[in-house]
Amino acid sequence: MALAEETKHVVAQFEYTDEDVNKGVQEFLRQMHEGLEHDGTSLSQIPTYVTGVPNGTEKGLYLAVDLGGTNFRVCSIHLNGDTTFNLTYSKVAIPKELMTAKTANELFGFLAKQIELFLKIHHGDHFEAHVRRRQTISTPEGYRDEQIFRLGFTFSFPVQQFGINKGTLMRWTKGFDIPDAIGKDVCALLQQEIDLLRLPVKVAALVNDTVGTLMARSYTSPGKTSTLLGAIFGTGTNGAYVEKLENIKKPVEGEYDQTTGLMVVNTEWGSFDNQLNILPNTPYDRELDEKSVNPGIQMFEKRVSGMFLGEIVRLVIVDMLKDTDVALFRDDNSSQNDWKSTTTIAPESGIFRQWGLDSSIMSIAAADNTPDLSTLRQELEKQLHIYSASLEDTLSFKSVANAVGRRAARLSAVALGAIVLQSGKLTETPDEPIDIGVDGSLVEHYPFFRDMIYETLAAVDGIGPDGAKRIRIGIAKDGSGVGAALIALVAANMESKGAVDYLTYVRHGASQKIENAILEEIEDAAAATTVA
């Protein structure tokens, strides 16, 4: 009885009511506007220089590369123009010595070599048929480049972006440490090595994987409606959405296409409400934050993403284990256990180790509706070395895990709901669905995560049940592949427009020179007549 009461008490601490949700949405909107006005805010609201999203009719062959950690992936994506695509890829591990190379050229030279190998293996005929860019006046760069592969570069390290294919490395993470690359344009570093190999490839776009998710969903989503938002709910969490240019008040340096009136904005919402104005803050949240590598920041992510949810559950269970009156995973004798045994927790159990409880067990807990929770009990034994857990113990674990997961889903809806309201689409396009692309282990594998998001959206003031029915949340896979290729396509279209503008400029300049020369002749003739 004590265990049931304590479980109920703990679960109540993770309750996130409809009133809490609405306060969260209003605070999210406030911090969104703050981020659109100036830098240095909780929501960074980073302009991505991507000024349009695809509609599924785009065609062409594009390349994408993804340096996201210890592996490097090279893809070619053939867009078929009917919302479908064909993807070919290869993946190679980054040699450890290159992760701490003395110069940036060593790493980026290796990456360029992998691109060359990929082209020779998968696009041999096309590769051999390509000719090096020839001098011409067709573009400001002075090249004819109709036969060049455009490449989207997903680079999952902190960069300061100042153009669709320009961004300087701020710092390395994930075990990389090459000081020579800090402060340099990563696209230029890769392009330099590509050019040394004389490859017919242009690095056309620097890609954030969340923006790629948005693009991938917009290309593959059903119907004519373009996608508003791409979001990741996995190990980490983030979102990128389409914003009206007129709402971005802070200066956006560099070149971009202003004719669409739109700009994709990377929210970096993992750091939403670092100030804890409205985010829930249980003793377990506080303990997790204090013992993390980055206390005080990424406070939204620490309550929503898969990396942290398992640790929150672990901290709750450890706290309950300390209370001898509660008797969680503890039996005086076998008669107290429905399996007629006594529960044992091995000393090496992940329960006693920071990050020792993987969030995947939460999905198993949510999915197990068997009468005796046998699947979850087997998983407790397999993953956490908790042997012969009683039904009461297992039910308590399931309740705690479900409460933490449900709160994460409702907090996720805060971010989605705020962006839907910010877009104005509920009133501006009353008959069209509002499309959202999502990726990540939580939305893919956690049972009913999307259902809980929908349920929460219906409770948001300004959305309601009818508005929630218009919101369409669909899985968008491979943002770093097909999404990156689509951003390369957008960049190529911007280049084409730039080339047309350049030719117009040249023609206008030539006609202006002729006009000026004629005027000078007329003026000279008039002056001569006056003197005479």
Side-chain angles (χ1 to χ4, degrees):
M1 191 66 181
L3 177 56
E5 287 301 315
E6 180 61 18
T7 301
K8 188 182 294 185
H9 171 70
V10 168
V11 165
Q13 294 182 62
F14 291 94
E15 183 67 27
Y16 196 64
T17 66
D18 290 352
E19 182 182 353
D20 294 329
V21 168
N22 279 290
K23 286 179 180 176
V25 168
Q26 290 308 308
E27 181 65 13
F28 199 100
L29 283 165
R30 189 190 71 77
Q31 292 189 26
M32 282 180 75
H33 296 152
E34 194 175 58
L36 291 172
E37 289 173 3
H38 48 86
D39 293 323
T41 57
S42 286
L43 282 179
S44 298
Q45 296 286 76
I46 302 167
T48 65
Y49 297 86
V50 177
T51 57
V53 294
N55 59 21
T57 63
E58 294 80 2
K59 296 181 180 180
L61 181 63
Y62 294 86
L63 293 181
V65 297
D66 180 9
L67 182 64
T70 55
N71 292 313
F72 180 64
R73 192 169 70 132
V74 186
C75 314
S76 63
I77 297 93
H78 190 274
L79 304 170
N80 298 321
D82 58 359
T83 77
T84 68
F85 59 88
N86 301 92
L87 183 144
T88 305
Y89 77 93
S90 67
K91 186 163 69 172
V92 62
I94 303 290
K96 287 196 179 299
E97 62 271 17
L98 290 183
M99 295 172 68
T100 54
K102 290 183 178 179
T103 66
N105 294 348
E106 294 174 63
L107 173 64
F108 285 88
F110 172 81
L111 304 184
K113 191 65 180 175
Q114 302 311 308
I115 295 170
E116 179 183 49
L117 290 172
F118 179 86
L119 289 175
K120 286 182 175 179
I121 293 170
H122 297 287
H123 298 281
D125 295 342
H126 201 97
F127 177 70
E128 296 301 331
H130 267 55
V131 293
R132 187 61 182 156
R133 294 172 282 184
R134 295 189 293 273
Q135 292 291 332
T136 175
I137 200 174
S138 64
T139 67
E141 291 83 4
Y143 294 120
R144 179 178 180 182
D145 54 13
E146 290 85 349
Q147 297 183 345
I148 301 301
F149 282 104
R150 294 308 197 282
L151 178 145
F153 183 16
T154 299
F155 185 76
S156 300
F157 300 89
V159 295
Q160 180 65 49
Q161 195 165 353
F162 52 94
I164 198 164
N165 67 342
K166 297 180 177 68
T168 54
L169 176 64
M170 298 166 66
R171 63 184 179 278
W172 288 106
T173 57
K174 306 173 188 176
F176 283 76
D177 185 18
I178 309 172
D180 178 54
I182 304 293
K184 292 183 179 178
D185 181 353
V186 293
C187 290
L189 287 172
L190 182 57
Q191 188 67 61
Q192 176 183 312
E193 298 302 323
I194 286 171
D195 290 344
L196 285 175
L197 294 175
R198 299 184 65 81
L199 302 180
V201 174
K202 178 171 182 180
V203 183
L206 181 61
V207 179
N208 171 281
D209 57 356
T210 311
V211 181
T213 299
L214 165 62
M215 302 297 279
R217 174 63 185 178
S218 195
Y219 183 80
T220 58
S221 65
K224 297 179 180 179
T225 305
S226 61
T227 301
L228 167 66
L229 165 66
I232 292 176
F233 298 105
T235 305
T237 184
N238 190 20
Y241 73 103
V242 182
E243 182 59 274
K244 294 168 184 167
L245 265 177
E246 64 191 39
N247 291 335
I248 304 176
K249 307 299 183 184
K250 61 186 177 185
V252 182
E253 298 177 1
E255 297 179 1
Y256 57 94
D257 180 8
Q258 299 188 34
T259 60
T260 65
L262 302 171
M263 172 78 78
V264 175
V265 170
N266 170 20
T267 66
E268 289 295 338
W269 72 32
S271 61
F272 164 59
D273 198 29
N274 281 341
Q275 311 91 327
L276 296 179
N277 291 336
I278 57 90
L279 282 178
N281 199 28
T282 69
Y284 313 107
D285 295 307
R286 289 194 289 274
E287 185 177 353
L288 180 146
D289 180 54
E290 288 165 6
K291 293 180 178 178
S292 71
V293 296
N294 55 352
I297 61 174
Q298 297 297 102
M299 301 304 263
F300 184 72
E301 185 168 77
K302 286 171 180 172
R303 289 152 176 77
V304 168
S305 76
M307 179 177 179
F308 298 101
L309 297 184
E311 180 64 5
I312 295 174
V313 172
R314 188 191 75 83
L315 290 171
V316 173
I317 298 301
V318 167
D319 189 52
M320 293 174 72
L321 285 171
K322 291 175 183 175
D323 189 339
T324 55
D325 292 334
V326 169
L328 175 64
F329 297 128
R330 190 185 296 113
D331 304 307
D332 290 333
N333 58 65
S334 60
S335 68
Q336 295 178 337
N337 188 313
D338 63 307
W339 274 7
K340 303 306 176 188
S341 182
T342 54
T343 306
T344 305
I345 306 179
E348 69 272 17
S349 171
I351 280 289
F352 304 122
R353 188 177 68 252
Q354 187 182 25
W355 313 115
L357 192 154
D358 191 278
S359 298
S360 61
I361 199 171
M362 297 172 65
S363 297
I364 293 165
D368 188 359
N369 291 315
T370 57
D372 60 351
L373 299 181
S374 57
T375 306
L376 177 55
R377 290 161 99 165
Q378 289 168 14
E379 205 63 29
L380 287 170
E381 182 170 321
K382 178 181 173 184
Q383 280 198 38
L384 296 174
H385 305 293
I386 299 175
Y387 302 102
S388 301
S390 71
L391 178 59
E392 187 184 18
D393 291 337
T394 310
L395 189 59
S396 177
F397 183 94
K398 176 183 171 76
S399 298
V400 169
N402 286 356
V404 173
R406 178 174 170 78
R407 188 186 71 167
R410 290 177 72 81
L411 283 168
S412 301
V414 165
L416 301 186
I419 289 174
V420 167
L421 291 174
Q422 170 70 7
S423 74
K425 286 185 174 291
L426 283 169
T427 53
E428 291 173 10
T429 54
D431 299 324
E432 295 179 9
I434 298 165
D435 196 73
I436 294 174
V438 293
D439 192 10
S441 54
L442 280 174
V443 286
E444 277 196 83
H445 304 305
Y446 191 98
F448 314 115
F449 197 83
R450 272 189 285 175
D451 292 344
M452 289 187 285
I453 289 176
Y454 275 121
E455 172 195 287
T456 311
L457 288 171
V460 174
D461 294 340
I463 297 178
D466 290 339
K469 289 175 185 174
R470 286 181 50 203
I471 298 171
R472 183 174 64 196
I473 301 174
I475 296 293
K477 293 300 296 174
D478 206 8
S480 63
V482 65
L486 287 158
I487 297 173
L489 178 149
V490 169
N493 290 342
M494 287 170 62
E495 273 183 56
S496 300
K497 184 178 183 301
V500 171
D501 290 345
Y502 179 73
L503 287 172
T504 303
Y505 165 77
V506 170
R507 294 189 188 107
H508 178 72
S511 63
Q512 193 68 49
K513 286 180 181 177
I514 295 169
E515 186 179 322
N516 289 342
I518 293 171
L519 286 172
E520 283 178 18
E521 286 187 19
I522 293 171
E523 287 172 0
D524 289 345
T529 303
T530 303
V531 171

